[in-house]
Amino acid sequence: MMAIDFTTAATAAMICWAVGALLGIASVKIPALKMPGIILAITGTAVLGVYIAWYWNFLGRPPLRTLGETRLWYATLIPLVGFIVEFRWKISWLKYYCMGLATFFLVINLMHPEVFDKTLMPALQSPWFVPHVVVYLVGYVFLAASSTAAAHNVYLGLRSKTTETGSMVSHYLAILGFVFLTFGLIFGALWAKEAWGHYWTWDPKETWAFLSWLAYLAYLHANSYKIDRNKLQWYLALSFIVLLVCWFGVNYLPSSQNSVHTYTQS
Amino acid sequence: MATVRRQLFQDPWEFRESILFTAAAVLAGFLIQIASAGKGIPQPHLPFNALFLALLAVTVISAGLAFKNNPVVKWLGGIPLGLSLILAIALLSLIGGVVPQDTGATGSIAVRFGLSSIFSSWPFALTVIFFLVNLGIGLSWKLVPFKMQNLQFILFHAGFWIALSCGIFGSTDLQRLIIPVDEGKSGNIGFTMQGEEPHQLPFSVFLHEFSLEEYAPNLLLYDPATEAQTNFDVHKGLTTSWKGSDVLVVDYLPSAMPTEDGTLKPVASKGLPFVKVRISSDGRHEEGWVGVTLPSQKPVPVKIGNLLVLLWPGNPKAFRSAVTIQGDNGQTLMANLEVNKPVGFMGWKLYQMGYDEKAGRFSKLSLIEAINDPWLPAVYLGFFMIMAANVLFFWNGIKRSNKA
Ligand code: HEM
C-alpha cells in the first residue's frame, strides 16, 4: 500500500470519526452539536471511500486481493452500517462501536504497510471476482455489526436493561448478513466451476466459509424455535470469532498450505 | 412457578434426545470407519445413486406426511434434531478445515479415523443422510398442502436438499481428467489428479499453439557495497532515484531475441523481455541492457554504474491454447482455451489448466482438463432455488421490519 497516502487518508478518517463521536456524545447535553457530529463522522468514511477509488485506479485492478486491502474495505463499510441503522431505526449507539471497529482495522493496516502488487493471477481475472468478494464483504460487514449490537445487548442484559429494539437490531443485521453470505457462497461456487472446474472442493477457505454460514443458519433456526432471545445475544456476539477465523485465521492453519484462497501475505 | 423437568425420552423429545441421537450416529460412523479399515464409504455410480436418492426422497416425504402426528416423526422432522445435525456437520467440517485433507500417510491415525478424508468418511455420510431425512420430513409438512406463504421456506429447504444430496451422491460420477498435449500434436488420453491409469476420452484435442502473456517484468537493483536492494515493475520512461543514483528505463522490449551479432530484435511472439537501463550518479551516466532469462536458467545480474541490475519475469497474466477438438462421432470444434473461459464439448467441459512452468512462455506443452459432471444441472437447480429464496428472505426481512 502506498504508505504516505494511506497514512494521510487513514489519519484524517480516524480524526473525523473521533471528533464526530465526541460531538455525538456531547449532543446529549447540547443538541445543536448533533448534526455537525454526524456530518464529521460521515466525512471520515467518505475520505476512505475517495481513497479506495484513487487506489483502485492507481493499481489498475480492484483492491480486493490482499488482507490489508480487505481490511480497508471493512474500515470503510462498517461505519456505514452504523449510520444506516441510526437513520433507519433511530439507534445511535451502534455507530460508535462501528467506528471503533473500523479504527481497529485501520490501525492494523498502519502497523503493517503492505508492498503493493499490481498483478492478478489469471484465475482471478473473472467477471465473478468483484461480485463474489463484494457480496462477501457486505455480508461480513453486516455480521460484524450484528455481533457488535449483540455484544451491546449482552452488556445491557448483565445490567438488566435489555430492550426489544436492541435484539431486533442484532437480529435484522444477522438476517441481512446471512442473505449476503448465502449469495457469496453460491457466487463463489459458480465462479469456481468456471475457473477451477468444480463448484466445491472443500478447500480450507470454502470449508471455513461454510462453517460460518452454518453458524448463522443455526442462529436463525434457534431463533425461530423461540429460544430465549437474550441467550441468543451471547451466541451472536461470539459467532464473530468464527468469522474472524474465516477472514484471517485460515491463512495460518496447517490445512491451508495449498489453498487457492489464501490472500498473498506480501 | 415450579416447572417439572421433562425426563429423558419422555414426550415431546427435544434437544437432549437430539444431541444423544446425533452423537450416536457420529460415533457409529467412526466405528464403521475403523472397522472397514479406513476404506471409506461405498460409492455407487449412476444409475444406482440416483435410484437411492429417489427412494430416499419418496420415503422421507411420504413418511413425513403419513405419520405427521407420530411423536417420533415429529421429532425427526423438527428443529432440535436439525440444530444438532447442523452442529455435527459443523464439527466434522471443522476437522476438515483444520486437518490437511487427502495428504495423510497410509496407516496414520488421521487416515484410519477418516480424518484426512472427512468428507468421504462414514461419520460424515451418516450425518448427511440423517440431515436429509430431517430436512425432508420438515419439508413435507410445508409442501402439502401448498401455501404461497410457505414458498420461501420451500425454496430454501428443497433447494438445499437437492444441492446437498445431488452434490454428495453425484460426486462419484464426476470425472476430472488432465490431458497433456504438445504443440502440433493431438491427445485423447486423460489422467486423474493422482496420475493413475490412463483413460481414453471420446474426443481428441489437437494443440495448434500455446501462448503465455506475462505482466511487466520486475527490475531489481542491488548495491554490493551496502547489500541493500530494491525492486519495481518496469515500464518505458520509468524514472526513480535510489541511494543517490538516478535510474531511468530508456527502452523496454516486451518480446525480443538476441541476434548473432548481439543486437536485439523485437519478435511478435516467443521472445523475452529486455530493458535498457540508465543509471546516473555523481554526474556519471552508464547504460546497459538487462534481460529476463529462461525460467530454467539462473538470472545473470548486469553491472551498471555501481549497481547490479537484474530482471525478473513478471507473473503470468494469461495463457491460452488454440485447439481443435474432434469427437469420435465426427463433430469438430476450434476454440481458444483460457483460464476462466472453459469450452463445452459433447457434455464435457474443457479447461486450460497448466503448462510446462520450467519453459514458461516457451512451453510447447499444454495441460487441458476435461470435466464431466452429469449431476451439475441438479446441483445448480438447488443453488438457484436457494438464491430465489434468498431474494424473498431479503425482501420479507426488510418488510417485516417496517411493521416492527
Ligand atoms: C436441518 C434441517 C432443517 C430443518 C428441520 C429446518 C426447519 C426449519 C423451520 C421449522 C423453520 C421455521 C419456519 C417458519 O417459522 O415458518 C425454518 C426456517 C428457516 N430455514 Fe430451515 N430447516 C433446516 C435446514 C435449513 C437449511 C439447510 C437452510 C438453508 C438453505 C435453511 C434456511 C432457513 C431459513 C432462511 C429460515 C427462515 C428463518 C427465519 O425466518 O428466521 N434451513 N427452518
Side-chain angles (χ1 to χ4, degrees), chain B residues 107-151:
Chain B
S108 71
I109 295 198
V111 170
R112 271 196 297 144
F113 283 77
L115 302 185
S116 60
S117 52
I118 198 80
F119 302 108
S120 51
S121 69
W122 274 101
F124 192 75
L126 285 185
T127 314
V128 165
I129 288 181
F130 284 123
F131 192 77
L132 290 176
V133 170
N134 167 257
L135 191 55
I137 293 177
L139 188 57
S140 72
W141 301 331
K142 298 262 175 160
L143 221 45
V144 182
F146 177 80
K147 288 202 204 92
M148 206 53 200
Q149 79 207 48
N150 289 342
L151 186 64

Side-chain angles (χ1 to χ4, degrees), chain A residues 213 217 221 224, chain B residues 78-79 82 131 134-135 142 153 156-157 160:
Chain A
W213 184 77
L217 186 67
H221 288 89
S224 65
Chain B
I79 286 188
F131 192 77
N134 167 257
L135 191 55
K142 298 262 175 160
F153 179 97
F156 253 125
H157 295 82
F160 194 79

Side-chain angles (χ1 to χ4, degrees), chain A residues 171 175 178 182 213-214 217 219-221 223-226, chain B residues 76-83 85-86 130-131 134-139 141-142 149-150 152-153 155-157 159-161 386 389-390 393 400:
Chain A
H171 178 67
I175 287 187
F178 177 80
T182 310
W213 184 77
L214 285 181
L217 186 67
Y219 164 76
L220 288 181
H221 288 89
N223 184 72
S224 65
Y225 198 65
K226 303 275 173 289
Chain B
L76 258 181
I79 286 188
L81 182 60
L83 277 174
L85 289 167
I86 288 177
F130 284 123
F131 192 77
N134 167 257
L135 191 55
I137 293 177
L139 188 57
W141 301 331
K142 298 262 175 160
Q149 79 207 48
N150 289 342
Q152 176 196 319
F153 179 97
L155 286 171
F156 253 125
H157 295 82
F160 194 79
W161 204 98
I386 295 174
N390 225 357
F393 196 29
R400 245 180 283 156

